[in-house]
């Protein structure tokens, strides 16, 4: 009986110790990630219930280009979503650190995003968005302390036609439609 009590006490202390460590790290990071943007007149926000939102830096040894990638899962504002949405914003630059008040081009070659829709003119409720000739994006860094990254962004000329059959919706053939992301803002932590 003593051994069981001792083992239970050790496990409980370990669990409490881990919980305490987690709460301390959350206390130190008072800034929460967030995202908002407009897609063809519908408002979107980051869905923290589905995934984390963060930024990361990738460097290569073969070139002097650094990649800064903001990873997020957007959903229609105020609407629960039960599938994983994906939107990654990628900046390729020779800058070692992103500069505040500088505007960078988003890397949109082969860009793809999976996003829910709130457009009464369309019968489908989610869409794969693809880059095409003429797709472009910008991101302006509004604040960056080496940890918390904040910015504004937009992406224009995305298409629902990725070269695959678009199919039918309620018996009507789906046709190519152009989508624009505007008024984007984000706060991301590594």
């Amino acid at each position: 009986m003593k051994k069981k009590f001792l083992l239970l006490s050790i496990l409980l202390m370990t669990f409490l110790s881990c919980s305490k460590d987690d709460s301390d790290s959350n206390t130190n990071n008072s800034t929460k990630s967030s995202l908002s943007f407009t897609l063809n007149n519908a408002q979107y926000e980051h869905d923290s219930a589905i995934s984390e939102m963060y930024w990361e830096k990738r460097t290569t040894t073969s070139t002097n280009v650094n990649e800064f990638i903001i990873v997020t899962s957007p959903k229609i504002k105020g609407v629960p979503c039960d599938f994983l949405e994906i939107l990654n914003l990628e900046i390729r630059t020779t800058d070692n650190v992103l500069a505040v008040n500088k505007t960078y081009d988003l890397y949109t070659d082969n860009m793809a995003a999976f996003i829910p829709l709130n457009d009464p003119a369309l019968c489908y409720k989610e869409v794969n968005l693809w880059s095409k000739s003429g797709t472009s994006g910008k991101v302006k860094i509004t604040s960056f302390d080496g940890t918390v990254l904040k910015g504004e962004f937009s992406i224009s000329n995305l298409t629902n036609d990725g070269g695959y059959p678009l199919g039918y919706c309620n018996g009507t053939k789906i046709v190519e439609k152009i989508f624009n992301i505007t008024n984007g803002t984000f706060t991301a932590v590594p």
Side-chain angles (χ1 to χ4, degrees), residues 7-76:
L7 182 59
L8 182 60
S9 297
I10 291 171
L11 286 172
L12 185 59
M13 287 175 45
T14 304
F15 176 76
L16 291 174
S17 175
C18 291
S19 297
K20 184 176 187 288
D21 290 344
D22 288 342
S23 66
D24 285 347
S25 66
N26 289 340
T27 304
N28 292 337
N29 184 7
S30 60
T31 302
K32 293 189 178 193
S33 293
S34 65
L35 171 91
S36 69
F37 64 86
T38 303
L39 174 71
N40 288 18
N41 299 319
Q43 292 291 313
Y44 289 77
E45 63 190 358
H46 173 69
D47 191 347
S48 59
I50 290 180
S51 74
E52 294 180 18
M53 179 179 170
Y54 60 93
W55 71 269
E56 65 182 19
K57 178 182 178 185
R58 296 179 188 163
T59 56
T60 61
T61 56
S62 58
T63 68
N64 61 348
V65 174
N66 296 304
E67 295 178 354
F68 294 87
I69 301 167
I70 298 105
V71 178
T72 181
S73 295
K75 70 170 191 164
I76 301 165

Side-chain angles (χ1 to χ4, degrees), residues 54-59 65-70 89-107 138-152 186 188:
Y54 60 93
W55 71 269
E56 65 182 19
K57 178 182 178 185
R58 296 179 188 163
T59 56
V65 174
N66 296 304
E67 295 178 354
F68 294 87
I69 301 167
I70 298 105
L89 306 174
E90 185 176 340
I91 301 166
R92 289 187 177 179
T93 179
T94 56
D95 293 354
N96 225 2
V97 177
L98 294 175
V100 175
N101 293 322
K102 184 171 180 178
T103 300
Y104 295 91
D105 289 329
L106 284 173
Y107 181 73
K138 301 273 186 199
V139 62
K140 179 181 179 184
I141 305 304
T142 57
S143 173
F144 186 44
D145 63 6
T147 302
V148 179
L149 176 62
K150 295 181 181 184
E152 303 167 347
F186 64 84

Side-chain angles (χ1 to χ4, degrees), residues 83-140:
F83 59 90
L84 183 61
E85 311 84 14
I86 300 166
L87 175 65
N88 294 340
L89 306 174
E90 185 176 340
I91 301 166
R92 289 187 177 179
T93 179
T94 56
D95 293 354
N96 225 2
V97 177
L98 294 175
V100 175
N101 293 322
K102 184 171 180 178
T103 300
Y104 295 91
D105 289 329
L106 284 173
Y107 181 73
T108 57
D109 290 359
N110 301 317
M111 180 180 185
F114 186 64
I115 308 232
L117 290 177
N118 188 18
D119 187 340
L122 300 174
C123 65
Y124 45 96
K125 299 302 176 204
E126 62 270 340
V127 67
N128 282 320
L129 295 179
W130 309 91
S131 62
K132 60 185 261 171
S133 175
T135 298
S136 65
K138 301 273 186 199
V139 62
K140 179 181 179 184

